[in-house]
């Protein structure tokens, strides 16, 4: 299992891997916002957390469709399906590796992009923390979509459409936690806890559903 | 160890691909599945590998470990695709599968270098898999059978894209595996030059009444 984790990390870093694509997309989306909205610093810092979250959500959806499709195309998926190790564990490890390669760089890039949006330290810190807690949920939800669309040759957009409605709660609670941190009366902890709960919930349900979908997609 | 198939049939979509196929393989025996294109060889092998569910019939392994769920857990499957990543080097690919698959009871996998030597390609394990020619890729996919021990080998057209020398080399590997008490099921057009071989001739949909049995 550890071998699988490191193999997937290596693959995403090597040529053709998707690790940097997500970060670049994230940077592109956030970097054009100030040009579009105009140099109103107050407005930028007010919408900053929401923009960062939307950018991160879209960027983490970007490479998801290849999660199982690449394995299926070269026949590796067949061997993974045959093993004694529960498929759920295999899916979970693949999700973890995918998040470490694509989700974690988004969290790390967030402070830099926060400066673009004229956000203060507290807002940047809160955004990073909520992204750290929330983005794994997007990967786990996305794994289900990727497993369902595994045999479709151009399933990329379909995966995003399937996954987006389920990822909306993550976005809502992520953004509301950040706003709770910067605006005084609202408490920060409850939305953050709900966000963590969503992540834990999908960490269980996601691999379970994805494994079931993969079992039935084999031909 | 004894692999038993009783009355297997499989369906793809609406069509019945084959019907009522039964065989029994003891340790050290090989089953060659032959037949024209589209007669269901690959489908049969995918059923044996647990990748497709059989419409009817049963598959079981006698003398296996008690906690065994399906014989596929003790099987290697070499399909049309090599299950190797083009971006990784051969050594990285093989060591990943060695660690991921692990050894089944009753045997030990080979070291990466030894396995590469056994398929006749020592000294190129540092190259990315994508750099190799089709035949070399196939040979390295065979090395995958050696690095992790599995008593049952399920091979789908194993010698496609191979030259004559590689054919003999591969027959040697399969024979060695059989002599250690392994079981081999192979779909093939070429005679592999094996010792104790049973043959199952698939006749395609016209012969719904099943496989024809004879000892080769």
């Amino acid at each position: 299992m550890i071998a699988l984790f490191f193999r997937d990390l290596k693959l995403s870093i090597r040529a053709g891997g998707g690790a940097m694509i997500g970060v670049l997309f994230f940077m592109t989306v956030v970097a054009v916002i100030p040009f579009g909205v105009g140099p109103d610093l107050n407005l930028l810092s007010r919408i900053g957390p929401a923009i960062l979250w939307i950018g991160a959500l879209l960027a983490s959806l970007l490479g998801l469709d290849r999660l199982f499709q690449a394995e299926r195309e070269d026949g590796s998926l067949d061997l993974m399906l045959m093993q004694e190790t529960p498929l759920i564990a295999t899916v979970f490890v693949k999700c973890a590796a995918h998040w470490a390669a694509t989700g974690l760089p988004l969290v790390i890039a967030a402070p830099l992009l926060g400066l673009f949006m004229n956000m203060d330290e507290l807002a940047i810190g809160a955004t990073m923390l909520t992204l750290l807690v929330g983005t794994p949920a997007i990967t786990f939800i996305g794994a289900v979509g990727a497993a369902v669309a595994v045999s479709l040759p151009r399933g990329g957009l379909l995966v995003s459409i399937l996954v987006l409605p389920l990822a909306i709660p993550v976005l809502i609670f992520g953004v509301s936690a950040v706003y709770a941190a910067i605006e005084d009366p609202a408490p920060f902890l409850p939305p953050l806890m709900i966000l963590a709960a969503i992540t834990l919930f999908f960490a269980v349900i996601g691999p379970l559903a994805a494994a079931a979908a993969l079992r039935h997609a084999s031909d | 160890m004894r692999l038993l198939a009783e009355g297997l049939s499989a369906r793809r979509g609406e069509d019945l691909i084959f019907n009522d196929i039964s065989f029994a393989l003891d340790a050290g025996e090989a089953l060659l599945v032959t037949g024209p294109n589209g007669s269901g060889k690959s489908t049969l092998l995918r059923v044996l590998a647990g990748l497709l569910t059989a419409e009817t019939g049963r598959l079981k392994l006698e003398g296996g470990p008690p906690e065994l769920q399906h014989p596929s857990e003790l099987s290697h499957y070499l399909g049309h695709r090599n299950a190797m990543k083009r971006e990784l080097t051969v050594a990285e690919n093989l060591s990943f599968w060695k660690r991921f698959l692990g050894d089944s009871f009753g045997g030990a996998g080979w070291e990466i270098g030894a396995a590469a030597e056994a398929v006749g390609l020592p000294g190129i394990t540092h190259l990315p898999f994508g750099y190799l020619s089709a035949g070399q890729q196939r040979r390295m996919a065979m090395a995958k059978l050696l690095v992790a021990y599995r008593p049952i080998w399920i091979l789908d057209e194993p010698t496609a894209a191979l030259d004559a020398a590689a054919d003999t080399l591969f027959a040697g590997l399969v024979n060695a595996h059989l002599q250690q008490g392994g079981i081999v099921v192979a779909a093939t057009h070429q005679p592999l030059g094996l010792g104790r071989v049973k043959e199952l001739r698939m006749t395609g949909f016209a012969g719904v009444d099943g496989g024809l049995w004879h000892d080769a």
Side-chain angles (χ1 to χ4, degrees):
Chain A
M1 280 297 129
I2 301 164
L4 179 65
F5 183 82
F6 284 107
R7 179 191 77 146
D8 276 17
L9 268 191
K10 257 187 221 159
L11 276 172
S12 56
I13 294 164
R14 296 278 162 88
M20 292 316 289
I21 304 290
V23 184
L24 286 175
F25 179 79
F26 185 37
M27 289 185 166
T28 321
V29 168
V30 178
V32 296
I33 296 289
F35 296 103
V37 172
D40 181 347
L41 290 181
N42 287 331
L43 178 64
L44 280 180
S45 64
R46 206 165 68 238
I47 61 172
I51 297 294
L52 281 188
W53 252 98
I54 292 171
L57 173 67
L58 296 180
S60 34
L61 291 178
L62 204 58
L64 267 174
D65 60 309
R66 296 297 293 165
L67 188 59
F68 301 113
Q69 210 171 44
E71 303 286 352
R72 182 176 183 274
E73 277 164 11
D74 65 15
S76 303
L77 187 62
D78 289 343
L79 303 196
M80 290 175 184
L81 287 169
M82 282 169 64
Q83 299 317 308
E84 202 178 340
T85 2
L87 189 59
I88 299 174
T90 308
V91 172
F92 183 85
V93 171
K94 279 192 72 65
C95 289
H98 185 268
W99 180 78
T102 61
L104 200 54
L106 299 181
V107 178
I108 294 166
L112 177 71
L113 295 168
L115 293 178
F116 276 47
M117 303 301 295
N118 189 37
M119 287 156 66
D120 58 24
E121 299 84 11
L122 182 65
I124 289 176
T127 309
M128 265 188 93
L129 182 64
T130 51
L131 281 177
L132 185 70
V133 174
T135 44
I138 301 172
T139 306
F140 287 122
I141 298 168
V144 183
V148 168
V150 68
S151 55
L152 301 175
R154 263 180 278 282
L157 189 62
L158 183 68
V159 172
S160 304
I161 292 171
L162 281 176
V163 162
L164 209 51
L166 289 168
I168 292 297
V170 183
L171 182 68
I172 292 174
F173 285 104
V175 174
S176 62
V178 181
Y179 282 120
I182 40 184
E183 288 159 17
D184 237 353
F188 173 61
L189 219 48
L192 185 73
M193 286 295 137
I194 292 178
L195 191 63
I198 292 175
T199 299
L200 293 175
F201 178 73
F202 281 112
V204 177
I205 298 292
L208 197 74
L214 286 177
R215 283 243 180 265
H216 288 93
S218 61
D219 54 353
Chain B
M1 195 177 292
R2 186 175 161 87
L3 181 66
L4 274 175
E6 290 167 356
L8 288 181
S9 67
R11 202 180 274 280
R12 287 219 177 192
E14 293 291 297
D15 298 328
L16 202 60
I17 303 291
F18 55 78
N19 194 10
D20 196 22
I21 285 187
S22 306
F23 58 80
L25 287 174
D26 283 313
E29 282 186 327
L31 179 70
L32 276 193
V33 185
T34 57
N37 294 134
S39 57
K41 300 189 292 294
S42 295
T43 306
L44 174 63
L45 294 194
R46 290 186 74 82
V47 168
L48 296 184
L51 297 168
L52 285 176
T53 13
E55 182 79 8
T56 60
R58 284 192 314 149
L59 194 62
K60 62 179 181 186
L61 192 71
E62 288 176 356
E67 69 275 9
L68 188 78
Q69 305 266 331
H70 191 281
S72 72
E73 289 167 15
L74 295 179
S75 305
H76 264 308
Y77 174 72
L78 180 63
H80 295 282
R81 292 165 294 191
N82 292 325
M84 306 277 262
K85 293 286 174 199
R86 302 176 57 81
E87 299 87 353
L88 300 181
T89 67
V90 175
E92 282 169 338
N93 268 307
L94 289 178
S95 73
F96 162 68
W97 283 120
K98 185 176 171 61
R99 289 173 62 197
F100 182 78
L101 298 175
D103 291 323
S104 298
F105 79 105
W110 301 27
E111 286 308 311
I112 312 283
E117 209 166 312
V119 295
L121 294 173
I124 61 164
T125 52
H126 62 284
L127 291 177
F129 186 71
Y131 284 15
L132 307 186
S133 76
Q136 285 175 326
Q137 290 187 346
R138 198 63 181 160
R139 287 193 192 202
M140 283 307 180
M142 284 169 185
K144 199 172 72 219
L145 303 176
L146 301 172
V147 294
Y149 175 77
R150 290 281 187 278
I152 306 170
W153 288 6
I154 299 169
L155 312 169
D156 198 352
E157 306 276 359
T159 52
L162 288 184
D163 54 24
D167 271 358
T168 0
L169 187 142
F170 183 59
L173 291 179
V174 172
N175 271 324
H177 180 65
L178 291 175
Q179 267 156 26
Q180 281 172 17
I183 293 174
V184 173
V185 182
T188 181
H189 293 297
Q190 292 112 328
L192 288 171
L194 303 175
R196 290 166 66 195
V197 170
K198 288 177 174 174
E199 192 178 342
L200 175 67
R201 183 165 302 160
M202 309 280 287
T203 47
F205 193 63
V208 157
D209 45 32
L212 212 64
W213 259 113
H214 69 93
D215 282 338

